[in-house]
Structure formats: C-alpha cells, structure tokens
Amino acid sequence: MRLSVRVVRGLALSFLVLGGILAGAGVATVVSTGAALAQAASNVVVQGNRRVESDTVRSYFRPGPGGRLGPNEVDEGLKALYATGLFADVRINHSGNRVIVTVVENPVLNRVAFEGNKKAKDDQLKTEVQSKPRGTLSKPTVQADVQRIIEIYNRSGRFDVTVEPKIIELPNNRVDLVFEIKEGAKTGIKDIKFVGAKAFSHGRLKEVIKTSESNLLSFLQTTDIYDPDRIEADRDLLRRFYLKHGYADVRIVSAIGEYDPAKKGFLVTFNIDEGNQYRVGTVDVVSNVRAIDPTTLRGSLKMSAGSVYNADMLEKSVEAMTIEAAKRGYAFATVRPRGDRHPETRTINLAFVVDEGQRAYIERINIRGNVRTRDYVIRREFDLSEGDAYNRALVDRAERRLTNLDFFKTVKITNEPGSAPDRVVVNVDVEEKPTGEFSIAGGYSTADGFIAETSVADRNLMGRGQFAKASVTYGQRTRGFDLSFVEPYLLGYRMAGGIDLFGKQNLASSSVSYDTNSIGGKLRLGFALTEEISLQPHYTLYRQEITLDSYYNCYPAVSGVCQPAALPIRKELAAGPVTVSMVGFTTNYNTLDNNKSPTSGLIASVTQDFAGVGGDVKFIRTTGEIRNYYEVLPDVIGVVKLQAGNIAGWGGKDLRMLDHFQMGPNLVRGFASAGLGPRDLTPGTTNEALGGTMFWGTSVEFQTPLYFLPKEIGIKFATFADAGSVWGYKGPTTYNQSGTPEFLEVGLGDASMIRSSVGVGLIWDSPLGPLRFDLAYPLKKYCAASVTGGGEVCDRTQIFRFGGGTKF
C-alpha cells in the first residue's frame, strides 16, 4: 500500500468526522483509527540514500506520545528533511506497519563558476554566494545567490543586469553550477531635483550632497551611481546644511529615486520643507550647579545675539561649555541647549542650562570593525577612558574626530548598559576604507613648463595613524624629490611631529638667468590651541648654491653673445654654496565652512622665520595672508585676499639676493614670474629681477559656476582685480672681482609703484587634478632707464597663465 502523508492526514480527519456522527461510539472509533495509523519509530525504512546515513534520515522522524509515529510526526519529519537542503525529493510510503522513506539526494557541487562578469571579479562573487564547491546543490540557495549577485551589481549602478544559473550534470551525481551574467550598461543618475527649495539654488544644494549626476567624466567617479544608502545619507547632509544656515524648522520630507526607461537612468527628487530662517534673539546661560558661575561659561559661547542661527555652532558651544565645567571639577555636569522659537519675529532665544547630570562611569570602550587600524589609534581620539565619568558631549567630539581622520567610511558610537546601573559600555563601530595612494601626475604651467610627478603616500601607515609620502618630480625647469613623515601623536600627546627631506633644482628660464640647487630637511611640530587656531613651530636646514648656464660669470643671450649676469648673482656664485639654518613658526586661524570648496568664513596665517641659528646667513622674515569668503549672491562667492611680508638682515649680515621676495603672478596676476619689483638696470646685463624686502598685495575675486554646464564637472568662472607692490632691495650693490669695482644700479623698486591688473579665469576642480586658466590685463606697470645710458627696463608681463596637474 502506497500512501502519502497528506492522504493519511485526510483519512484521519474523515474518521474524526465519522466518529462525531456515530452516537455513543464516536470517541472509541477515533482512538482506534489513530492507533491503527501510528507506526513505531523503529519501523522507518530508508531507501535511495547514497551519502546520507539511514540513521540520520530516521533521526528526523521523532515519535510522539507513546513512542509512536502518527500522521503529524510523519509530516513534520518530511518537512525537516526538505529543510536540510540535502534532498531533491522525499516520498513517504506505508507497507504494513512500516514507514518507507524514499529520498533522492541533491547532487554534489563540483565547481561554481561565473561567466560574463567583467565589472565584478570572481573572488568578490565567490565570497557572496552561498553555493560552494563540495557542497550540495540546493535550488532555494541558488535562487538566493542569484539575488545576491544582482544586488552586487545594483550597488555599482548596474540595474539592467540579468543572472541565469546553469547546471551541468557530471557522473557520480556531481554537477557544475555556472552563473551566466549579462551585466548591462551602467545605470547612472540623470537628474537631481530639489522640490520646495527656495533659499538656495539647486546648484548649491548639489554641492552639499554626495550623490551627483552623470556627465562626461562619469567614468572617473562613482557618486553618480544610484545608491539608496547614499541618498539616505544625503538627506541628513541637507538637513544639517539648512540647520547650519538658520532654518531651524527644515524637514527633508522624502528622497525618491525613480528609474526612467526613456532616459535609461534614475531621477532623484528631494522634497524639502524649508520653513523660515531664524536669527538668534537672546543668549543666556543658566546654571543649576551652585558652584558654577554662569558668567564664567559665557566665554565658551560660539554664537551671539543677532547672528544667524547655526546648529553647528550650537553643538560646539555645548561641547566647549561641557569641557570648561569638567576642568572646574564637575565631570558629570551636562549642558542642554533650549531654544524658544518666535515665528513672528523669526528669532530663537537660546538658553544653555547646566545641570549636575546623572553620575555614570565608562565601564568599557569596545572597538569593532577595525581590521588594519590599531585600537590605540581610535582610543586616543577620546578625551575619556575606562573608569572616567561618562560625558555625551565628549563622546560626540570623539566621533567627529574619528570621522575627520578620513580613515573610515563610517563611524558610529553607541551606548549600552554596563554591569551596574551607574556603568556605561561605549561601542565604537567603524568601517575602514583604503588610505594608501599611488599617483602619477603630469601637468604644464607657464612658469615651470611641462612637469611630471610620481608619488606614493599613506595617511594611515601600517594602521598606526601616521602619514608618509615619497615623491619624485621631473620637469623642463623643475626637478626634485620630497620625503615626508608625520606622527600625529608625538610622545603620546595631541601634538603632531613631522620630518621632511627635500632636494630641488630650478633651471634657468626667461624669468631668471641662473640655476639653483637646494637640498635639506625640516623638522616641524603642530598642535591646536583652540578649534580655530593652530600653531606649527619648525626648524629648517638646507644647503643652496647657484650656477650659471655654460659660463662661469655670464649668461648667453639668445644671440649667443655672453651677457654678464647681475652683480649679486656673480658675487653669490663666487661665495660658493651657502647653508641656511632657521627656526620659525606658523599660526593659522580657520573658520571656513568647507576647506576644499569654501563659501563662507575666514582663513589667516602668519609665518615668521629666524635664520642664523648656525649657518651662513642671518635674517628675520615675516609673512602673513588673510582670505575671506562670502556669498554675495546665490552661487556667487566673493573672495578678498590680503597679503604682506617683510625680511631684514641682522648681525651685520647683508641679505642675499636669493633671500629677497621675488614676486610675480603670486602677487599681481598679469605679470610674469619675478616680473615686478626691483630690477637691475645696469646696461649690458641680463637686467635680473632682484626682489625686495617688503611687499603687500590685495585681490578681489568673484567665482560662480558656469550655468550651461553640469555643476558636477566642477568648472567655475572667475573675475578678479589685483593690486600690490614690492620694494626695498637690500642686497649687494658693489663687487670687485678683477680689481675694478662694479656698482649695481637698482630701479623699479619704489614703494609708491603700485602694480594692478584685472582679468577673468576658469577654475576646474577636475577628477584628474586642479586646473586654472587666467587671462589678466595689467592696468599699471612701470619702466625705468639706467642713468648711465641704455634702453628702458620694464616690468615683465604675462597676460595668459595656465597651471595644473593630473592624476591617473
């Protein structure tokens, strides 16, 4: 008799119904029928199995009450056998009091292969699929593997992919599993829209998010690939951007990606409810801790009444006040910002409330997800350790620091209860990303000609958080090498220590008639004084010498006639190589909203060097620069730049000509390198640029994207106006080489000679490297003639200038 489990269960139900009909004898009928169908577990007979033991199959049929196999037990055993994935078919038959289980085993996988895959490597796919060689073939597993492969391609922007599994039968119940893949074309993002955005242009908002539209350079980027996770992260970036600019009620309602078959790409739409822009009304500090005077915390505020509400500055204020309270001995003090909105006046009254806070201690800090980066590299970014008082503001600060390291794709810090009510476990989950870089760069500039550079760098060397770089440069007029190493936590302190070794050769050009060779090194330290101010002391030692092209004391003109080089050059040439030993420092102040593409904020630096700590030269050199960025109109960024410098000798030492400021387009665009300032007027010489001891310059520039080009290409149009002056040559003016004294005639070096220019430019932040094209017209330049005769000598101009490089 052959009876399936479902038939047996149906018969049992029929007998149950019949038993309900029969009066008086119904219960006895059901019991007797169940007993008749129940089978002893020992009577299970297994057929058809070749690899799986019979006892293993029997173990899935577990007897019920009384040690018998009823219909329910047989049915559960059947399901359990299918769930193992070991069998392609299982049939249940009954013969007398025996249960006969006939199985057909799944084939063994001899090989798992992939065909047609070019964008995804075999090794990547093998780690994702669950079907493995020497395992069994399972159709549900194969279908799940197909979906995993499709998801891999979807993450790389290919949504037209098709995957078809093929099974090739082999002897001895073995098979080859081959996934045939048709990758299809890359599915990019064709358009990004911001519905409801009024305060900012769509172009400006596209700069905020990571997702970008496909363009001509899409083959160099991956951000134009549709990625739901990235788009969700973009929602948070947009929200933070609006909060930073005063829109406290902003809501990023939705972010929708829809595939458009006509455009063969995705259309991404962000729906935004901006609300109104708020300003800060009043700012108050309230302390509920008796020993903390609120007035002492007001100096930690980063925002003031009347300013535009800024959520970033709010967070930094909370952090600074929390740290200040901890320094005063109140480690558990918490600072909570409270904002009272007044929509009618569009102001927010802020109050920072200081409370005692719940007493909790950090029991343990768990670091997870770091494979290459050492634990201590992550732990040292915390101002807290195990056993310290738990402080949320300091934990948030550590999370921001870890993100800024740029070692990780994601950083997430969470808490969980510890072993006691006053204990907290801090979990740090990170996902690492590559930090090494090998690049071959090439470029051209009107100053240095063609130039090529090869460099190898790693900003997380051996997972220790150290930076190292080695580069070699070779060009028409510039050659050299650089070796750099930075330890960000020198001797365990939050202080960077670095060492640089360099060698550089600048060859003669239309700007200078001599070659210079320099080789040396630099030791430097760096540490932050505040969030905005940093200090970098340094010591530099290098050896420098100059040579002339082919001749000992003259430079051949184009005609081949030997023109005497400038007097200071010949004097320095006769003196031989010079060693320069100097100490100095650089102080930086930075409030930029974005270091790479700023739209607001100020960056300023002051550098001072003191030469004469040993060596052959003695001077004090001071330079400073300020740049202020401001959004004049939507998508129009104004940049105001001021710079100045001074150098003076000391200890009775004259300045070398090479130590003077040689200015050109770095001061006023439209002039050649070393093209403006004091110059040798002596007739019959090369009329060399001598440089000056003082300079100042100012520049006003407006930058805006080109609206007829996709903004993702990164091209901006710029208009600018420059003005500046360099003066005060203090180098050698006499030289007696052959017994006859020579005198240097200096011209074009008055402080009143202010050069100026206007121009336009194109700035391209290309994926291959930054490029800039400038067309500048000098409005004011100067000429002078020697008092001993000869023609006029003028500032040297250069209307067009191009510079940049690429990496590939």
Side-chain angles (χ1 to χ4, degrees), residues 68-347:
R68 296 177 175 273
L69 288 175
N72 290 336
E73 287 75 23
V74 172
D75 194 32
E76 291 298 325
L78 176 66
K79 293 177 181 178
L81 286 175
Y82 272 117
T84 63
L86 298 174
F87 306 103
D89 187 27
V90 180
R91 290 174 294 167
I92 304 295
N93 297 313
H94 293 270
S95 177
N97 64 345
R98 295 184 304 168
V99 177
I100 301 175
V101 181
T102 305
V103 297
V104 178
E105 294 177 341
N106 275 326
V108 175
L109 286 172
N110 177 65
R111 182 172 65 99
V112 177
F114 308 91
E115 293 182 356
N117 56 308
K118 297 179 181 178
K119 303 300 180 181
K121 302 298 183 182
D122 284 3
D123 292 341
Q124 179 186 4
L125 297 177
K126 286 178 181 179
T127 58
E128 292 289 337
V129 299
Q130 299 300 311
S131 299
K132 305 292 183 182
R134 295 185 297 276
T136 57
L137 175 69
S138 171
K139 291 183 179 180
T141 302
V142 171
Q143 292 304 317
D145 289 340
V146 168
Q147 292 303 315
R148 288 190 183 93
I149 296 172
I150 291 175
E151 289 174 4
I152 291 173
Y153 278 91
N154 288 350
R155 288 199 297 268
S156 63
R158 297 182 182 275
F159 286 81
D160 290 335
V161 63
T162 58
V163 181
E164 185 177 354
K166 294 292 183 68
I167 298 174
I168 303 173
E169 295 186 0
L170 301 173
N172 299 323
N173 199 29
R174 295 181 300 116
V175 296
D176 285 345
L177 174 61
V178 180
F179 293 96
E180 293 185 353
I181 303 171
K182 294 181 180 179
E183 296 180 324
K186 178 181 176 181
T187 311
I189 295 175
K190 300 301 181 182
D191 192 19
I192 300 176
K193 294 182 179 180
F194 302 89
V195 177
K198 300 176 182 177
F200 302 98
S201 67
H202 288 201
R204 178 70 183 281
L205 295 179
K206 287 178 183 178
E207 288 183 345
V208 175
I209 62 178
K210 298 294 185 182
T211 304
S212 62
E213 296 174 351
S214 299
N215 54 59
L216 296 175
L217 300 176
S218 291
F219 67 96
L220 296 172
Q221 59 185 13
T222 59
T223 55
D224 66 323
I225 297 171
Y226 178 75
D227 185 342
D229 293 336
R230 185 191 298 124
I231 290 176
E232 191 63 29
D234 286 339
R235 290 183 64 181
D236 185 61
L237 289 176
L238 286 171
R239 185 184 67 85
R240 294 185 67 87
F241 174 77
Y242 272 94
L243 290 174
K244 183 178 179 179
H245 289 82
Y247 293 85
D249 297 329
V250 66
R251 291 189 307 121
I252 311 301
V253 179
S254 63
I256 303 172
E258 297 177 320
Y259 182 75
D260 187 344
K263 294 185 176 181
K264 295 184 178 180
F266 280 88
L267 307 180
V268 178
T269 303
F270 292 93
N271 291 294
I272 304 173
D273 181 8
E274 292 182 330
N276 295 322
Q277 186 185 48
Y278 287 83
R279 289 186 173 272
V280 178
T282 60
V283 182
D284 194 14
V285 179
V286 179
S287 176
N288 294 327
V289 181
R290 182 177 302 176
I292 297 180
D293 184 357
T295 59
T296 61
L297 300 180
R298 295 191 69 89
S300 301
L301 293 173
K302 306 295 182 181
M303 52 206 321
S304 58
S307 62
V308 175
Y309 174 79
N310 187 325
D312 282 358
M313 292 297 104
L314 184 73
E315 292 178 3
K316 289 184 178 180
S317 297
V318 170
E319 180 182 296
M321 296 172 72
T322 302
I323 294 172
E324 184 63 28
K327 289 179 179 178
R328 297 173 182 273
Y330 295 90
F332 297 103
T334 60
V335 180
R336 293 179 297 102
R338 186 180 65 208
D340 296 326
R341 291 181 176 84
H342 297 278
E344 64 281 359
T345 59
R346 296 184 182 180
T347 59

Side-chain angles (χ1 to χ4, degrees), residues 56 162 165 190 203 269 380 391 398-399 401 438 444 521 547 566 610:
T56 301
T162 58
K190 300 301 181 182
T269 303
R380 69 190 183 189
N391 191 302
E399 185 171 1
R401 285 174 175 172
F438 172 76
Y444 175 82
T547 58
F610 181 86

Side-chain angles (χ1 to χ4, degrees), residues 567-586:
L567 182 153
I569 298 174
R570 288 183 282 124
K571 190 169 183 178
E572 292 182 18
L573 182 66
V578 171
T579 299
V580 180
S581 175
M582 60 184 180
V583 296
F585 69 89
T586 298

Side-chain angles (χ1 to χ4, degrees), residues 446 510-511 663-665 668-677 679 748 755-757 774-783 793-801:
T446 47
S510 58
S511 301
M663 292 298 178
V668 180
R669 283 165 284 194
F671 290 83
S673 296
L676 59 89
R679 188 171 292 275
L748 301 176
R755 284 80 170 177
S756 61
S757 68
D774 283 327
L775 192 66
Y777 178 76
L779 296 177
K780 188 65 176 179
K781 64 178 182 178
Y782 290 89
C783 296
V793 177
C794 299
D795 291 333
R796 297 182 182 180
T797 60
Q798 185 180 62
I799 294 178
F800 176 73
R801 183 174 176 84

Side-chain angles (χ1 to χ4, degrees), residues 518-588:
S518 304
I519 187 167
K522 185 175 184 178
L523 298 174
R524 49 196 167 97
L525 299 175
F527 47 88
L529 301 178
T530 67
E531 285 287 331
E532 296 84 16
I533 302 174
S534 62
L535 179 65
Q536 300 170 0
H538 55 257
Y539 169 74
T540 306
L541 175 68
Y542 63 91
R543 181 179 181 273
Q544 186 178 51
E545 66 175 330
I546 64 172
T547 58
L548 293 177
D549 186 9
S550 303
Y551 291 84
Y552 176 73
N553 62 352
C554 61
Y555 176 79
V558 177
S559 62
V561 178
C562 181
Q563 291 179 316
L567 182 153
I569 298 174
R570 288 183 282 124
K571 190 169 183 178
E572 292 182 18
L573 182 66
V578 171
T579 299
V580 180
S581 175
M582 60 184 180
V583 296
F585 69 89
T586 298
T587 303
N588 293 309

